[in-house]
Amino acid sequence: MPRHPLHRLALLAALVFTGLSTPLPAWAEPTLARVKDVARVIGVRDNELYGYGLVLGLNGTGDRRQNAFFTVQSIQNLLIRQGINLPPNGRTIETKNVAAVMVTAKLPPFAKPGTTIDITVSSLGDATSLGGGTLLLTPLQAADGKVYAVAQGPVSIGGGFSVTAPGTGESVQKNHPTVGRIVNGATVEREVQMVVGPQRLSIALLQPDFTTSARLAQAINAGLGDALAQAIDAATVTVAVPAPAQQRLVEFMAQIEQVEVPTDAPAKVVVNERTGTIIMGSQVKISTVAVSHGNLSIQIKSEFQVSQPLPFAPGGAQTTVVPKTETTVKEEKAPVVLLKSGASIGDLVQGLNAIGATPRDLIAILQAIKRAGALHAELEIM
């Protein structure tokens, strides 16, 4: 009988954790990353834009009139601005080919008037699909209420669709047809002024960490050949701009962006129980702990037997079917494994890949080790 993967895991773990005095492998050492990949200059960022618009030309998949009063009102206002007079009650307007939408976009830093950006179009009412529709001219504004871009164009939903059979009400849907995108669908009309001090730059880490912040300041000083950078906190490093570089600030910032810094991160194990996915860092350590994990299986087997009446049975005796149930309980034996202090989960993962242990078993083991206080890492369960 082949052994359970956890049996092989126990044997392998006993071998893996006997040679912990060897140096860390190359993949466990700090990773070198460019400054532009792990940090941003404070004041240089994207800005969120949004706007309300209408998608026209839908093939009967738009908002239903009885549920989308704002769609009817938007169409009325649009037609009135075009010089078309409508009855005040709007009974003649049908909205099945029109959908009210919200348009969102990100305005990148230093975007000049005339630059085009991508936009996302999301249904606001009860439209079933935006496929084949065209977004009408929509102003996009920021949090300050000013319009920074205008959007218009055909909506693409990436091959999705939604079809409802007339009469039966049965429907078929693929992907998410009520959200679409328009590549280069908006044109920037106003530039956002980015304020960057010419005498001092402030660099913010995307993932705040004291160790990475200190290393970032050291790497910048080593790359520039002068003590210009100073770590302020876990997320901020300030860099003094020399007088000669103040006239060529762009070149000076480009030089800083290419500096490589050894990054660091806290020990964390991320577990997704729905998919059985486990992501963990090589810095995760385990204290001395004994692990035993086994499975209990219960099998219930039912079969039906025929009972016939005996010879000379009383009158009226009939052949009957009698069910027979058999229950079997089996508990697998699991050895106790001793994991020595300082063991790295990175070593354990290499062993798990070699023996093919399932992620479900490892999730149960990690949760038990964390509850015992022997897992020195943050365990995040999604």
Side-chain angles (χ1 to χ4, degrees):
M1 177 183 297
R3 292 190 174 187
H4 190 274
L6 286 177
H7 292 174
R8 293 179 290 173
L9 171 60
L11 297 177
L12 180 64
L15 298 176
V16 168
F17 297 114
T18 57
L20 297 176
S21 60
T22 57
L24 289 175
W27 55 264
E29 298 177 355
T31 304
L32 291 177
R34 297 179 304 173
V35 173
K36 70 183 305 179
D37 297 326
V38 297
R40 293 290 184 270
V41 177
I42 295 179
V44 179
R45 63 180 182 85
D46 295 336
N47 286 274
E48 303 292 338
L49 304 179
Y50 74 100
Y52 170 81
L54 293 174
V55 172
L56 312 178
L58 301 177
N59 188 19
T61 59
D63 296 333
R64 288 177 292 181
R65 185 179 181 279
Q66 61 270 25
N67 296 330
F69 301 103
F70 50 87
T71 306
V72 175
Q73 184 177 358
S74 300
I75 298 175
Q76 284 180 322
N77 296 337
L78 172 65
L79 296 178
I80 290 175
R81 287 197 299 268
Q82 299 298 320
I84 301 176
N85 296 324
L86 296 173
N89 54 14
R91 294 180 179 177
T92 59
I93 298 178
E94 293 292 339
T95 61
K96 63 180 181 180
N97 294 339
V98 183
V101 295
M102 293 300 297
V103 183
T104 56
K106 287 183 179 292
L107 182 64
F110 306 109
K112 307 298 181 181
T115 305
T116 56
I117 57 177
D118 298 345
I119 61 174
T120 301
V121 182
S122 305
S123 174
L124 189 62
D126 57 356
T128 58
S129 177
L130 300 179
T134 300
L135 176 67
L136 198 61
L137 187 66
T138 303
L140 302 181
Q141 61 182 3
D144 58 2
K146 297 180 181 179
V147 175
Y148 287 88
V150 291
Q152 183 170 277
V155 180
S156 172
I157 57 176
F161 63 85
S162 177
V163 178
T164 302
T168 62
E170 297 181 355
S171 62
V172 177
Q173 177 177 319
K174 179 181 179 183
N175 297 336
H176 199 78
T178 54
V179 176
R181 288 183 60 83
I182 304 179
V183 179
N184 296 331
T187 303
V188 177
E189 299 293 340
R190 185 196 301 264
E191 180 181 359
V192 177
Q193 297 298 328
M194 298 292 173
V195 180
V196 180
Q199 298 181 352
R200 182 173 296 274
L201 300 176
S202 296
I203 300 177
L205 289 172
L206 300 181
Q207 298 292 334
D209 182 79
F210 283 106
T211 303
T212 304
S213 179
R215 291 176 179 176
L216 175 59
Q218 297 171 2
I220 293 177
N221 290 333
L224 299 179
D226 197 356
L228 302 175
Q230 180 182 2
I232 303 301
D233 52 36
T236 310
V237 174
T238 60
V239 182
V241 182
Q246 295 179 12
Q247 304 300 324
R248 48 180 185 85
L249 189 59
V250 174
E251 290 81 358
F252 182 74
M253 294 176 62
Q255 185 179 359
I256 293 177
E257 285 184 338
Q258 298 304 318
V259 173
E260 292 187 337
V261 55
T263 60
D264 195 18
K268 177 180 289 189
V269 179
V270 181
V271 176
N272 190 329
E273 289 188 309
R274 295 187 298 272
T275 61
T277 303
I278 303 173
I279 305 295
M280 61 190 71
S282 61
Q283 300 300 326
V284 178
K285 301 296 182 181
I286 302 177
S287 296
T288 301
V289 62
V291 179
S292 178
H293 185 77
N295 290 336
L296 176 66
S297 60
I298 301 176
Q299 182 180 7
I300 301 177
K301 182 180 179 181
S302 298
E303 61 180 8
F304 296 93
Q305 298 180 349
V306 178
S307 176
Q308 296 181 350
L310 296 174
F312 308 105
Q318 298 179 354
T319 301
T320 59
V321 178
V322 180
K324 180 181 180 181
T325 304
E326 180 180 356
T327 303
T328 304
V329 180
K330 180 180 179 182
E331 183 176 7
E332 296 183 356
K333 296 181 180 180
V336 178
V337 181
L338 180 64
L339 305 182
K340 296 184 179 181
S341 178
S344 170
I345 286 193
D347 298 328
L348 180 59
V349 170
Q350 288 183 332
L352 291 173
N353 291 334
I355 66 174
T358 63
R360 302 288 181 181
D361 296 330
L362 183 57
I363 289 175
I365 293 175
L366 289 176
Q367 290 177 331
I369 294 177
K370 180 64 176 179
R371 179 64 63 88
L375 178 61
H376 302 298
E378 178 184 355
L379 182 59
E380 180 178 339
I381 300 179
M382 302 173 60

